[in-house]
Amino acid sequence: MASRGVNKVILVGNLGADPETRYMPSGGAVTNINVATSEQWKDKQTGQPQERTEWHRVVFFNRLAEIAGEYLRKGSKVYVEGSLRTRKWQGQDGQDRYTTEIVANEMQMLDSRGAGQGQGGYAPPPPQSQGDYGQAPAPAPAPQKAPSGGGGQSSPPASDFPDFDDDIPF
Amino acid sequence: MASRGVNKVILVGNLGADPETRYMPSGGAVTNINVATSEQWKDKQTGQPQERTEWHRVVFFNRLAEIAGEYLRKGSKVYVEGSLRTRKWQGQDGQDRYTTEIVANEMQMLDSRGAGQGQGGYAPPPPQSQGDYGQAPAPAPAPQKAPSGGGGQSSPPASDFPDFDDDIPF
Amino acid sequence: MASRGVNKVILVGNLGADPETRYMPSGGAVTNINVATSEQWKDKQTGQPQERTEWHRVVFFNRLAEIAGEYLRKGSKVYVEGSLRTRKWQGQDGQDRYTTEIVANEMQMLDSRGAGQGQGGYAPPPPQSQGDYGQAPAPAPAPQKAPSGGGGQSSPPASDFPDFDDDIPF
Amino acid sequence: MASRGVNKVILVGNLGADPETRYMPSGGAVTNINVATSEQWKDKQTGQPQERTEWHRVVFFNRLAEIAGEYLRKGSKVYVEGSLRTRKWQGQDGQDRYTTEIVANEMQMLDSRGAGQGQGGYAPPPPQSQGDYGQAPAPAPAPQKAPSGGGGQSSPPASDFPDFDDDIPF
DNA sequence: TTTT
DNA sequence: TTTT
């Protein structure tokens, strides 16, 4: 894998929901998570504490997807390293839409026990595995379904999002 | 500035067009650039060389915006460090759209002379300045116009993009 | 603060001992910690699991030094971002020695409660503060005492290390 | 390759001298470079411009070592990503010494032509290759000779450095 | 000297 | 939708 340029993202944050894992026709796993990072500061005028949460859509492939899907849970704190990828897809209105994701190539669980306090879901002891075997099927990854949420005002694209079965080019 | 979580992006790439600078009501500068990073690899089946270019929308504020606007040019190679921010805006059809940008907090010109091979635009000697003074007016940055059209087929969202005069909340 | 070049370190690891805090003549705090990161892999020949631990000497200044000294403990998991600095000092034999440290400019505690399971030391609730106010007194930081340890085979320079009261140029 | 913790370094700087390449008994290449990064600032008291140069010892293995050795030259601007490793060795006085290096796992040439203004050494067109094939023979890399002497007063450890033929454990 |  |  050679390249010209550097395209690197580093995140430490918490999962807003349990991971969603799907499988590509090839059999390879694809896992999506949403990771929140937040920034806090004091308003210079009023001195009031402010907060802004940023949500990041992260996608894992293959072995890393399996590990993420198995060990991460809603609330888990995670370190993710990857690269930015903007995908184009069509809304139901036929218009082009764009979604930017972080394609992860490294992941580390940062919770002591390896699991979040997800809603009842048991998470087995974590392997802390990561590495290059989790690499995307280089520049031609698989489709993903929308995050189940969609709600909040600062949330990422959701509603009209391409589905796993949709015929969208990547 | 305190925070919980890490939200960091590092790019090294080239500008697809000259920077665009605007000014906020406060008088602060806002500069946008589009940065290309590319990945090359060999197809495992055919052995054919492949390439995928990723375009990154980068926004600078205040002093860093002035420096970027003054010294960067189409073709300039640049190092950018910043954080991801996804903004919501409304398309002309009233639908919600999302755009992910890198809000830069550090910039370094990597061309020996400090200028790209821009189309005629003269770029004065580079200061290599960067630093925290370029910080965004924390979590409430200014509107931006669309990239003038990065040209290529893999260029970033453009057409229906919110304009500087549009009434969009950030 | 301007610069030419990029000098950046990102660590996620655990403290091998409680932080050590001192004060500069100026009154500014200086805190040192040792952070372990480890790598695990399987021997390709024997298939035996292997591990290598790397120890990193991290130094904080001013406000960040106070926070690190107050909230971190032996065993704490921490995110550190900073830059490399190699200091020259004289051994008791009059010979030059060099020590490489990470001068931190950002720190995040990654333990849920903000404290490690240090040996009895109580750590109050963490502020998760970080930021640029923790910056070093640019390129002329203060002396530090040796890490109290020194023991292990993979440990960093210790024995003959310059003391806080020593007259060493930085 | 699994791990617990993150140990990451990112450098953008210039080579202080031509690379030095050696070969391990296994036949694998090992290349060392010294990279300068510098920081500039204004003295708060006097307003005088100040500068501090930091020198980084970087080591490449295998394929990446061959590329670095072939295409980099004194003065080349380079992007390096890697991890910190502190090696212990014995001075001629029998005392323990420690040297911290960056073990590179990615490298990008940032000069337009791919070569520095080295003293006469011709450097062929650059491939911009990088990647994981350049990985170190995990946690048990090869000995290296001293940098030929970076010259300047702020140059890295040199004199008493272990030689390729010395019997030093890694 | 940490952590799993 | 997370976390403090």
Side-chain angles (χ1 to χ4, degrees):
Chain A
M1 185 124 16
S3 70
R4 222 176 214 278
V6 173
N7 172 1
K8 182 168 292 291
V9 180
I10 288 172
L11 301 176
V12 175
N14 298 279
L15 275 72
D18 284 351
E20 297 186 17
T21 301
R22 283 175 196 68
Y23 292 88
M24 295 183 281
S26 65
V30 181
T31 295
N32 278 275
I33 60 172
N34 269 300
V35 174
T37 57
S38 58
E39 230 182 320
Q40 287 145 352
W41 72 99
K42 284 220 174 75
D43 184 277
K44 280 179 184 173
Q45 312 295 103
T46 69
Q48 291 299 101
Q50 310 283 319
E51 172 160 355
R52 180 189 160 95
T53 296
E54 196 65 44
W55 286 96
H56 309 272
R57 183 179 170 84
V58 177
V59 57
F60 302 92
F61 291 95
N62 302 326
R63 178 131 176 61
L64 205 47
E66 290 165 10
I67 296 171
E70 191 167 356
Y71 296 105
L72 295 176
R73 287 293 173 267
K74 176 180 179 176
S76 296
K77 189 184 288 296
V78 73
Y79 168 91
V80 168
E81 189 181 323
S83 56
L84 288 168
R85 186 191 60 179
T86 296
R87 287 189 300 111
K88 186 186 185 177
W89 51 282
Q90 315 257 50
Q92 290 169 337
D93 56 6
Q95 299 253 308
D96 289 345
R97 304 291 163 90
Y98 297 85
T99 294
T100 299
E101 299 164 310
I102 292 96
V103 179
N105 54 45
E106 185 169 336
M107 187 270 288
Q108 298 247 343
M109 301 187 57
L110 299 175
D111 297 301
S112 42
R113 280 200 49 270
Q117 58 272 60
Q119 68 273 50
Y122 167 72
Q128 289 300 345
S129 305
Q130 51 71 251
D132 305 313
Y133 46 73
Q135 197 54 276
Q144 293 109 16
K145 192 161 156 285
S148 55
Q153 98 217 55
S154 67
S155 59
S159 58
D160 200 16
F161 219 69
D163 205 63
F164 186 50
D165 298 312
D166 289 0
D167 181 30
I168 42 174
F170 286 87
Chain B
M1 185 122 19
S3 70
R4 220 174 217 282
V6 173
N7 172 1
K8 184 168 290 292
V9 179
I10 288 171
L11 302 177
V12 175
N14 299 281
L15 275 72
D18 285 349
E20 297 186 17
T21 301
R22 284 176 195 68
Y23 293 87
M24 296 182 281
S26 65
V30 182
T31 296
N32 278 277
I33 60 172
N34 270 299
V35 174
T37 57
S38 59
E39 230 181 323
Q40 287 145 355
W41 73 99
K42 283 221 173 73
D43 184 275
K44 279 178 183 174
Q45 312 295 103
T46 68
Q48 290 300 101
Q50 310 283 319
E51 171 160 357
R52 181 187 160 96
T53 296
E54 196 67 43
W55 287 95
H56 309 272
R57 181 178 171 84
V58 177
V59 56
F60 302 92
F61 291 96
N62 301 326
R63 177 129 175 66
L64 205 47
E66 291 165 9
I67 296 171
E70 190 166 354
Y71 295 106
L72 295 175
R73 287 292 172 272
K74 177 179 178 177
S76 296
K77 188 183 289 295
V78 73
Y79 169 90
V80 169
E81 188 181 325
S83 56
L84 288 168
R85 186 190 60 178
T86 296
R87 287 190 299 112
K88 186 187 185 176
W89 51 282
Q90 317 255 51
Q92 290 168 336
D93 56 5
Q95 297 254 310
D96 289 344
R97 303 293 162 89
Y98 297 85
T99 295
T100 299
E101 299 164 310
I102 292 95
V103 179
N105 53 43
E106 185 169 336
M107 187 271 289
Q108 299 245 343
M109 302 188 56
L110 299 175
D111 297 301
S112 41
R113 281 202 44 272
Q117 58 273 54
Q119 67 275 52
Y122 167 71
Q128 290 299 346
S129 307
Q130 51 69 254
D132 304 313
Y133 45 73
Q135 196 56 275
Q144 293 108 16
K145 191 155 156 290
S148 58
Q153 100 222 54
S154 65
S155 58
S159 57
D160 199 15
F161 220 68
D163 205 63
F164 186 49
D165 296 315
D166 288 1
D167 181 30
I168 41 173
F170 286 89
Chain C
M1 185 122 18
S3 69
R4 222 175 215 282
V6 174
N7 171 1
K8 183 168 291 291
V9 179
I10 288 172
L11 301 177
V12 175
N14 297 280
L15 275 71
D18 285 349
E20 297 186 16
T21 301
R22 283 174 196 70
Y23 292 87
M24 296 183 282
S26 65
V30 182
T31 296
N32 280 276
I33 60 172
N34 269 300
V35 174
T37 57
S38 59
E39 230 182 322
Q40 287 145 354
W41 72 100
K42 284 221 173 72
D43 185 277
K44 280 179 183 174
Q45 312 295 104
T46 69
Q48 290 301 102
Q50 310 284 318
E51 172 160 355
R52 180 187 161 96
T53 295
E54 197 65 44
W55 287 96
H56 309 273
R57 182 179 172 85
V58 177
V59 57
F60 301 92
F61 292 96
N62 302 325
R63 177 129 177 63
L64 206 47
E66 290 165 10
I67 297 170
E70 190 167 356
Y71 296 105
L72 295 176
R73 287 293 173 271
K74 177 179 177 177
S76 296
K77 188 184 289 295
V78 74
Y79 169 91
V80 169
E81 189 182 323
S83 57
L84 288 168
R85 186 191 59 180
T86 297
R87 288 190 298 112
K88 186 186 184 177
W89 50 282
Q90 316 256 52
Q92 290 170 336
D93 56 4
Q95 298 254 308
D96 289 344
R97 304 292 161 90
Y98 296 85
T99 295
T100 298
E101 298 164 311
I102 292 97
V103 179
N105 54 43
E106 184 169 336
M107 186 271 288
Q108 299 246 343
M109 302 187 57
L110 299 175
D111 297 301
S112 42
R113 278 202 46 273
Q117 58 272 63
Q119 67 274 50
Y122 167 70
Q128 289 301 346
S129 306
Q130 51 71 252
D132 304 313
Y133 46 73
Q135 197 56 275
Q144 294 106 17
K145 191 157 156 287
S148 56
Q153 100 218 53
S154 66
S155 58
S159 57
D160 199 14
F161 219 67
D163 204 62
F164 186 50
D165 297 313
D166 288 1
D167 181 32
I168 42 175
F170 286 88
Chain D
M1 184 124 17
S3 69
R4 222 174 214 282
V6 173
N7 172 0
K8 183 166 292 289
V9 179
I10 288 172
L11 301 177
V12 175
N14 298 281
L15 275 72
D18 284 349
E20 297 187 17
T21 301
R22 284 175 196 70
Y23 292 87
M24 295 182 282
S26 65
V30 181
T31 295
N32 279 275
I33 60 172
N34 270 299
V35 174
T37 56
S38 59
E39 231 183 319
Q40 287 145 355
W41 71 100
K42 283 221 172 72
D43 184 277
K44 281 178 183 174
Q45 312 294 102
T46 68
Q48 290 300 101
Q50 311 282 318
E51 173 160 357
R52 179 188 161 96
T53 296
E54 196 68 44
W55 286 95
H56 309 273
R57 182 178 171 84
V58 177
V59 56
F60 302 92
F61 291 96
N62 302 326
R63 178 131 174 61
L64 205 48
E66 290 165 9
I67 296 170
E70 190 168 356
Y71 296 105
L72 295 176
R73 287 293 173 271
K74 176 180 179 177
S76 296
K77 188 184 289 295
V78 74
Y79 169 91
V80 169
E81 188 181 324
S83 56
L84 289 168
R85 186 191 59 180
T86 297
R87 287 190 300 111
K88 186 186 184 177
W89 51 281
Q90 316 256 49
Q92 290 169 339
D93 56 5
Q95 298 254 309
D96 289 344
R97 304 291 162 90
Y98 296 84
T99 295
T100 299
E101 299 165 310
I102 291 96
V103 178
N105 54 44
E106 185 169 336
M107 186 271 288
Q108 298 246 345
M109 302 187 57
L110 299 175
D111 298 301
S112 42
R113 280 203 47 271
Q117 58 271 54
Q119 69 274 53
Y122 167 70
Q128 290 299 347
S129 306
Q130 51 71 252
D132 304 313
Y133 46 72
Q135 196 55 277
Q144 294 108 14
K145 191 159 156 286
S148 58
Q153 101 222 50
S154 65
S155 58
S159 57
D160 198 17
F161 220 69
D163 206 62
F164 186 49
D165 297 315
D166 288 1
D167 182 29
I168 40 173
F170 287 89

